[in-house]
């Protein structure tokens, strides 16, 4: 267990985003693409961009990351209030920050305390849609695939109404460059009704395009530390 994980308030035992699967499937690309050679070229380009953008994000200072997280939390609170009634009566899926991602864990705890059902995504079957299990500050986590802390098997399975998608990169037309495992896109394709999906990233990670492929699904909203950029 990392020092960062132990140091968070109450050792709250949040989950980690299953799109960490890029570490396992870095060459992921859609096998249904019309032009497999082009799809492989895009996959190679995306892999290089992921590395570049993640390195740039990790180069941010602790103070810069804290400032970005606080700004994003403020914008997200406002979006949830303005568009979703504060998420009351809804299931809100969040994520555990990794590799310098914006840290919204305090907001998760606040939403739980306000009566919102908070969930965390996890991989329970490889190459299949994600499972969402309920999280509370008292949830005792277990180690899942890739040794990532996840809610235990007896945590209730829920279906998100609102889901956060951590962004490695993003475009103005709502496309997400994720970690490359393909889990998030599989999940969005399978969920019916589809949740409202809010991408969470940093302004400097904006791209002109990700060269969308057949499996890519645009997000409903994209938020960075400077505000709303899509939706």
């Amino acid at each position: 267990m990392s020092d960062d994980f132990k140091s968070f308030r109450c050792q709250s035992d949040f989950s980690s985003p299953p799109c960490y699967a890029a570490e396992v499937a870095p060459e992921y690309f859609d096998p249904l693409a019309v032009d497999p050679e082009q799809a492989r070229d895009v996959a190679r380009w995306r892999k290089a961009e992921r590395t570049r953008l993640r390195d740039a994000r990790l180069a941010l200072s602790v103070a810069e990351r804290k400032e970005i997280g606080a700004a994003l939390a403020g914008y997200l609170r406002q979006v949830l209030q303005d568009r979703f009634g504060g998420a009351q009566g809804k299931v809100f899926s969040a994520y555990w920050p990794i590799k310098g991602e914006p840290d919204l864990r305090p907001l998760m705890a606040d939403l739980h305390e306000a009566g919102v059902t908070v969930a965390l995504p996890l991989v329970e079957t490889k190459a299949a849609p994600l499972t969402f299990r309920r999280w509370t500050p008292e949830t005792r986590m277990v180690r899942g695939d890739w040794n990532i802390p996840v809610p235990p098997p007896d945590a209730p399975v829920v279906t998100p109404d609102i889901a956060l998608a951590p962004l490695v990169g993003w475009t103005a037309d709502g496309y997400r460059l994720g970690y490359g495992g393909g889990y998030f896109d599989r999940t969005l394709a399978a969920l019916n009704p589809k949740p409202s999906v809010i991408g969470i990233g940093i302004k400097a990670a904006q791209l002109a395009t990700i060269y969308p492929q057949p499996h890519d699904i645009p997000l409903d909203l994209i938020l960075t530390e400077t505000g709303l950029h899509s939706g």
Side-chain angles (χ1 to χ4, degrees):
M1 183 175 292
S2 69
D3 291 340
D4 178 65
F5 185 87
K6 289 179 180 178
S7 67
F8 186 67
R9 142 183 159 186
C10 302
Q11 296 186 27
S12 301
D13 297 322
F14 297 87
S15 176
S16 180
C19 45
Y20 193 55
E23 302 302 326
V24 177
E27 294 296 337
Y28 171 79
F29 72 98
D30 180 18
L32 299 180
V34 175
D35 183 347
E37 182 176 356
Q38 184 264 349
R40 284 190 291 269
D41 288 343
V42 169
R44 285 191 289 267
W45 178 85
R46 289 186 182 184
K47 182 180 179 182
E49 284 298 286
R50 287 186 190 102
T51 299
R52 180 183 69 83
L53 291 170
R54 282 166 47 182
D55 287 350
R57 192 170 65 195
L58 287 169
L60 295 172
S61 69
V62 172
E64 287 172 321
R65 292 180 198 171
K66 185 175 181 180
E67 184 178 351
I68 286 170
L72 264 164
Y75 285 120
L76 182 54
R77 289 177 195 274
Q78 194 63 52
V79 166
L80 292 177
Q81 186 60 49
D82 292 347
R83 303 198 181 204
F84 303 99
Q88 293 296 317
K90 298 185 183 298
V91 176
F92 175 81
S93 173
Y95 65 88
W96 172 269
I98 60 171
K99 298 185 182 296
E101 288 174 340
D103 188 352
L104 300 178
R105 292 173 292 181
L107 176 61
M108 289 168 56
D110 289 347
L111 289 173
H112 167 76
E113 292 170 5
V116 176
T117 298
V118 179
L120 293 167
L122 59 148
V123 175
E124 293 193 335
T125 303
K126 292 185 183 297
L130 302 170
T131 298
F132 297 85
R133 292 189 180 273
R134 186 170 185 179
W135 170 88
T136 75
E138 291 74 39
T139 299
R140 303 311 302 175
M141 311 295 272
V142 299
R143 292 289 176 173
D145 282 348
W146 315 299
N147 204 34
I148 295 172
V150 298
D154 60 352
V157 174
V158 294
T159 301
D161 300 296
I162 306 163
L164 299 186
L167 308 173
V168 177
W170 58 277
T171 67
D173 52 355
Y175 281 101
R176 166 184 182 264
L177 181 67
Y179 286 92
Y183 283 95
F184 209 87
D185 287 315
R186 285 191 200 98
T187 303
L188 294 183
L191 287 175
N192 185 21
K194 185 175 80 70
S196 297
V197 184
I198 304 172
I200 301 293
I202 62 175
K203 180 64 172 68
Q206 183 174 5
L207 298 167
T209 183
I210 64 164
Y211 302 101
Q213 300 295 289
H215 66 274
D216 291 311
I217 299 175
L219 308 183
D220 297 296
L221 303 171
I222 288 180
L223 280 175
T224 76
E225 76 278 14
T226 63
L228 187 65
H229 295 275
S230 178

